[in-house]
Amino acid sequence: MVERVDSGATPPMRAAAPRRAGRRVVRWARGEDARGRSAWARGRVLAVLAVLTAGLLAFHRAVPNSVGRLGSLLEAFLPWLGLVVVVLLGLALLRRSAIALVALLLPVAAWTYLFGGLFLPGAEPGAHDLVVVQHNVSDENTDPAGTARALADAGPDLIALEELVPTALPVYGKTLARDYPYHAVRGTVGLWSKHPLTDARPLDIKPRGITEAWNRGLRAAVHTPRGEIAAYVAHLPSVRVRASGLASSWRDESAGLLGRAIAAEKRNPVILLGDLNGTVDDRGLAPLTSRMNVAERGFAFSFPAGFPLARIDQVMARSATVGHIRALSATGSDHLPVAARITLG
């Protein structure tokens, strides 16, 4: 018979396990992680990222445009930095990092300062307001009649259209004729109005590098019940995002030409409607945004129509206030129409 010997020794793992569990409970109660770091000691990388995000929001103008126009590229999507803040907030809560949560107050404050006001309710519509609609209808639109009806259903005083092609132009004219008996078309841009138009003429906003026929600017006088206003319709050159950065030199040059034309305009108020291929935060549109008021309420992202990321269709005014701006329902275009209310005087 083999006799079993019991040494009486307790296996080390059985004795250590309760001690480790106890230490975990103590660390949890103190707010420490597995390495013994407190809520103020962990999440420093998240805190740094939060501060950097706040810096980009608050000082986006300091990002240089000399290499790949990185500044304009950032400004084109500036509101979307709010999503970065949301992601950082989730990670900070997951890490239970007090320092990261405190640091996140900076980008939250910066984003709110820049864009929070766009969520506020606008003033009540006034008797002297004009409603305007701006839309790049697309030269590949297969339903110009339906597009025209959708724009007219919004009940605007003025409708500005871009990318008008010869085959579709008669359809727009016929569909809009009953409610908008006055119109002017120059090149591929046009303006339809409930009020009489005079002195319609093309604008030379063509960049020097474009050699083919190119006419994308229009100026007309609109005789409203509140007096005469100057209306500008423009379609600035497209921009492209490439490996080397943002290709926007033609757009920027055209914006400068348009800005000089508006600066020379002697009549007030002035309204600008157009596909400007840039957001109001983009410094490439500074020749315009430095001279004109932009919408005070609403985001109205308009491009691309399937998943709008930015508002590149703009309504601006001088000696008038652009109130709430909103995107309308999709048409046959790759842009969404935008409608805005303008208060004169």
Side-chain angles (χ1 to χ4, degrees):
M1 175 183 292
V2 178
E3 188 173 329
R4 183 176 172 184
V5 179
D6 186 355
S7 63
T10 303
M13 291 300 293
R14 294 181 182 177
R19 288 197 295 270
R20 283 200 299 272
R23 285 196 295 269
R24 284 197 294 269
V25 171
V26 171
R27 284 198 299 267
W28 182 86
R30 293 176 178 176
E32 298 176 349
D33 62 8
R35 298 180 182 180
R37 293 175 299 183
S38 70
W40 293 98
R42 62 177 176 268
R44 292 177 181 176
V45 172
L46 295 176
V48 170
L49 292 175
V51 172
L52 289 175
T53 303
L56 289 174
L57 284 164
F59 305 106
H60 56 91
R61 295 293 186 193
V63 177
N65 237 9
S66 55
V67 179
R69 284 181 162 78
L70 292 179
S72 285
L73 183 59
L74 168 67
E75 289 157 351
F77 302 101
L78 198 62
W80 292 99
L81 284 181
L83 285 183
V84 176
V85 178
V86 172
V87 171
L88 291 177
L89 175 61
L91 293 174
L93 293 173
L94 188 64
R95 296 275 290 131
R96 295 166 58 209
S97 171
I99 190 172
L101 289 172
V102 172
L104 278 167
L105 293 176
L106 295 175
V108 168
W111 194 94
T112 302
Y113 174 78
L114 290 173
F115 305 112
L118 298 177
F119 289 103
L120 298 176
E124 291 296 322
H128 307 312
D129 290 355
L130 285 180
V131 177
V132 300
V133 163
Q134 148 60 30
H135 191 30
N136 180 327
V137 295
S138 175
D139 54 9
E140 298 180 352
N141 193 327
T142 59
D143 184 20
T147 297
R149 286 193 296 269
L151 302 180
D153 286 345
D157 297 273
L158 299 174
I159 299 176
L161 304 181
E162 298 83 46
E163 291 199 12
L164 293 169
V165 294
T167 54
L169 181 56
V171 180
Y172 287 109
K174 180 179 179 181
T175 308
L176 295 172
R178 187 188 68 178
D179 296 322
Y180 300 89
Y182 310 100
H183 76 276
V185 176
R186 297 295 183 274
T188 58
V189 300
L191 179 67
W192 274 258
S193 174
K194 289 184 175 181
H195 313 295
L197 300 177
T198 60
D199 195 23
R201 60 177 185 265
L203 289 173
D204 183 11
I205 58 173
K206 178 180 176 180
R208 289 166 293 181
I210 298 179
T211 57
E212 65 268 19
W214 197 92
N215 191 344
R216 294 187 179 185
L218 163 69
R219 185 267 186 201
V222 184
H223 300 266
T224 76
R226 287 285 295 170
E228 189 175 327
I229 65 174
Y232 285 71
V233 182
H235 183 191
L236 300 189
S238 299
V239 300
R240 295 289 184 268
V241 180
R242 300 171 178 167
S244 58
L246 188 72
S248 64
S249 57
W250 282 356
R251 191 278 312 269
D252 297 348
E253 182 182 350
S254 190
L257 294 171
L258 180 57
R260 285 194 286 273
I262 290 175
E265 174 64 56
K266 296 180 179 180
R267 187 173 303 281
N268 278 318
V270 177
I271 296 175
L272 169 63
L273 307 102
D275 174 4
L276 304 185
N277 274 302
T279 68
V280 295
D281 299 303
D282 188 338
R283 70 192 70 178
L285 298 188
L288 302 170
T289 53
S290 63
R291 294 183 171 99
M292 310 191 79
N293 300 319
V294 300
E296 297 178 342
R297 302 287 184 268
F299 278 95
F301 290 163
S302 64
F303 184 82
F307 188 79
L309 295 173
R311 187 178 81 239
I312 62 175
D313 296 271
Q314 305 295 350
V315 177
M316 302 182 188
R318 187 181 77 189
S319 298
T321 301
V322 183
H324 186 266
I325 189 169
R326 62 190 177 94
L328 302 179
S329 299
T331 66
S333 172
D334 55 344
H335 292 241
L336 294 179
V338 297
R341 190 175 67 250
I342 298 176
T343 302
L344 303 175

